[in-house]
Amino acid sequence: MSEIMYIFYILPYVAFAIFIVGVIYRIINWANSAVPLKVPTTAGQQPTFNFIRRTWVDKIDSPSNKFWAFIRMLFEVFLFRSLFRNTKYYVEKGGKNADTRWLWLFAMLFHYSLLIIVIRHLRFFTNPTPKFVSTIEYLDGLVGVAIVPPLLMTGVIALVALAFLWGRRIFLAKERSISLPSDHLILFFMAVILVSGLLMRYIVKVDLSYVKMFALSIITVHPPSPEVLANLHWLFLIHFTFVCITIAYLPFSKVMHFAGVWFSPTRNMPNDNRRKRHVNPWDPNPEVPILARVGIVVDGQVFKSKKLDWNTYYEMYKDQLDEIAENNYTIKPEL
Amino acid sequence: MYHKPYVILGIVVFLIILATPYWVTAGNIKYEDIHKELAKPKGVNCIMGVKWMASKHMELLNEWREIAVRKGVRKYKTENGVFNVSLTECWRCHNYDEYCKKCHEFMDVRPVCWDCHYNPGMKIPTVNYIK
């Protein structure tokens, strides 16, 4: 029994190895993809005549140089600026766009609560604990001192925000139809981690001295004694296992947006299309401009983006078109 | 690879963030078997079983606070005997500095008890500071 518990000691190392290798692999994979066109999306006035007003908001939303593009990235990463513009189109309301910035609100609450929760967990991984960790926990519990142990607001906020973010994917028809199983999977992992963590703190009390000794043994690479492993609470093991599974799953999941956001061409390019020539990395010196060509050659294969004729189209989608034709639909070119 | 310096900077920042526990403590993380460090209690039996007390002593103290303050109950009977409903009952067996405080500091727990109550480390009860 006691030997098998060492699985839990090996688990975080395996999870972090997958995580680190996976994240670096994906970053390098993204960094290797060319950006053929200049595609910044803008929502502000770009520099022009002096009498056309251009505020600092325009500079962020339509950055004219690298510096302002960097500022725009900071706004995107730390304040989720593009989510702040979130609206939803309603046909039934006469084609009006409704304000859905509550998504931004709950996304902000969730991400920042999670950040503070992760910082608070440093108390298990450091010995002695740095002062700022205690201070953050004290400030976090300032509102909830009425009970012992103090109710930490980030835990509650994260749970409420998660309920909204998941509820949005479950109860709103349009969002439900675009939700993939992987969207629900990561939310499920977060829910299990959050609920088990809150249960451990407030309801099912766990002997934390062994939890901390176990955490220290992981971070100092000092195998724990069988006594420590034997005294770990089952609820802690659920919490811990799900954290490890989630960490190992991150490189394969959409949570990779934490790295991917830095690679979004619509966000990270300055809007200077007209002042600087953007050179397509895989087609640096074209004889004919790309849009004037009959087709684009990639990997020796010609893709006819313009003047696509029926025969080429049929060759490209032969299998699917034949399958449709088998169901007694007429397949013919539109003339 | 395009924009190599930025990408390498990004990977380095990612690794630095992952190594947070090491650099916030300047690499000074000590593995400690806290159960060996704590002073041995004097008595034989604790109020409840040792395992129960280790994880739930605050629940007992919360219950004691309520029955003592609201109902005036000063005696508490368990399977291990009859105990005075008071923190000083704990300190009959446990050394405050070498047992309670040591483990709380190890765990970075800050009990709110001493905002009002007396503890052996203080010269006079906190309440008197306020006067």
Side-chain angles (χ1 to χ4, degrees), chain A residues 120-150:
Chain A
R120 280 204 277 102
H121 275 72
L122 278 177
R123 80 176 168 118
F124 293 106
F125 294 99
T126 55
N127 182 35
T129 311
K131 193 88 185 85
F132 75 92
V133 177
S134 330
T135 312
I136 285 175
E137 181 164 336
Y138 169 70
L139 292 174
D140 199 355
L142 217 51
V143 177
V145 282
I147 65 160
V148 179

Side-chain angles (χ1 to χ4, degrees), chain A residues 20 31-34 66 123 125-127 129 134 148 205 207-210 212-213 217 219 222 231 281, chain B residues 1-2 6-7 14 18 21-22 25 28-33 35 51 54-55 58-59 62 106-108:
Chain A
I20 293 170
N32 278 325
S33 356
K66 273 191 179 176
R123 80 176 168 118
F125 294 99
T126 55
N127 182 35
T129 311
S134 330
V148 179
K205 305 291 166 91
D207 189 346
L208 288 181
S209 58
Y210 292 108
K212 176 147 184 179
M213 275 152 69
S217 75
I219 201 126
H222 177 293
N231 280 296
Chain B
M1 203 197 294
Y2 301 103
Y6 293 108
V7 174
F14 166 68
L18 276 190
Y22 295 107
T25 54
N28 179 29
I29 304 172
K30 192 167 75 218
Y31 179 81
E32 205 175 359
D33 193 341
H35 290 269
K51 268 201 158 175
S55 51
M58 254 347 272
E59 284 191 0
N62 280 348
F106 173 71
M107 285 312 305
D108 191 33

